Amino acid sequence: MFFKSIKKILLSVSVIYIVVGCLLLIDGSACVEFVVSLLGYGLGIAGIIEIIRYFVTKIDERYKRNDFILGVVLLAVAIIILLCKYTLSDIVAVSFGVAIIVSGALKIQDTLDAKKIGKSHIKTYMILVFICIALGALVIINYFYILDYRLLYISAGIGMLFSGITDMVSNLYLAYAKTKYEKNKAVEEKKDDIVEDSNEE
């Protein structure tokens, strides 16, 4: 029951945040270049798959689909990304700041979810929200106004690491709290049914 309550996608995203955060702290520029390359190759592979899918699809079904066009577009975007890898690295670095802010915003939803199941902890969650947004803003401000790449990668690394760890802890806590809440609710409903049955007798 506990494992069913865990939002597996969010947990996976938390792990990605933690891994990227560690890589940024170890070697920020190499990490950013790796992410850009991964995106480029990923889109390239997706484009090739779409083109192949077009040719293996039956002729009467091709008219209903745009696999070939989509494949060509994805392949073109992949080539542009790989050719402009170093230029796009700056954009990716800024996107880490946006990702950290998004993580902070999602913690507001965690606050509301916790409140629904009787576990408020509003102050704790709001502190985490504030820290995430501040770290994300630091990355963006640094890029546009300070442009110290060492500080950029360090702040992005700390922000991603902090966001990933706090998101993971929050997801696991909410999954545990939800499981406990559902068990207590089931027990209460069972008690009510017993009381109703005894009253009818």
Side-chain angles (χ1 to χ4, degrees):
M1 191 70 180
F2 170 69
F3 293 104
K4 288 181 180 179
S5 300
I6 298 174
K7 296 177 182 178
K8 293 178 182 177
I9 294 176
L10 293 178
L11 204 60
S12 300
V13 172
S14 300
V15 173
I16 292 170
Y17 268 58
I18 292 169
V19 172
V20 172
C22 290
L23 291 174
L24 282 167
L25 290 172
I26 294 168
D27 191 340
S29 59
C31 174
V32 172
E33 287 175 23
F34 171 75
V35 170
V36 175
S37 299
L38 192 65
L39 178 63
Y41 288 121
L43 289 175
I45 292 168
I48 292 167
I49 290 170
E50 290 298 323
I51 292 170
I52 292 170
R53 186 181 292 174
Y54 170 80
F55 286 108
V56 299
T57 303
K58 292 180 180 179
I59 189 69
D60 55 335
E61 293 181 10
R62 288 183 186 177
Y63 296 103
K64 302 174 186 177
R65 303 167 66 95
N66 297 309
D67 296 333
F68 185 79
I69 296 171
L70 179 61
V72 170
V73 171
L74 288 173
L75 208 54
V77 173
I79 292 168
I80 291 168
I81 288 173
L82 292 172
L83 289 175
C84 305
K85 182 166 63 175
Y86 297 105
T87 305
L88 291 172
S89 293
D90 291 346
I91 298 171
V92 171
V94 175
S95 70
F96 287 137
V98 176
I100 296 164
I101 292 172
V102 169
S103 172
L106 288 174
K107 285 182 176 62
I108 297 173
Q109 180 182 320
D110 291 342
T111 307
L112 298 173
D113 290 343
K115 194 173 182 181
K116 282 181 183 177
I117 55 179
K119 305 285 184 181
S120 58
H121 299 291
I122 294 175
K123 288 183 180 179
T124 303
Y125 276 112
M126 291 314 294
I127 290 169
L128 295 178
V129 169
F130 175 78
I131 293 172
C132 280
I133 292 174
L135 288 169
L138 178 63
V139 174
I140 295 170
I141 290 168
N142 178 64
Y143 176 75
F144 286 105
Y145 297 102
I146 304 171
L147 206 59
D148 182 338
Y149 281 98
R150 189 169 177 275
L151 177 61
L152 177 68
Y153 294 137
I154 290 173
S155 57
I158 292 171
M160 292 292 285
L161 196 59
F162 179 83
S163 298
I165 292 171
T166 52
D167 283 347
M168 183 179 287
V169 171
S170 179
N171 287 324
L172 292 172
Y173 169 75
L174 283 174
Y176 169 76
K178 186 182 176 185
T179 303
K180 195 173 179 181
Y181 170 78
E182 287 175 350
K183 282 183 180 178
N184 292 336
K185 189 178 179 182
V187 170
E188 290 297 324
E189 287 175 354
K190 196 171 182 180
K191 285 181 181 177
D192 291 339
D193 290 339
I194 294 170
V195 171
E196 285 178 8
D197 290 340
S198 62
N199 289 336
E200 287 176 2
E201 290 174 0

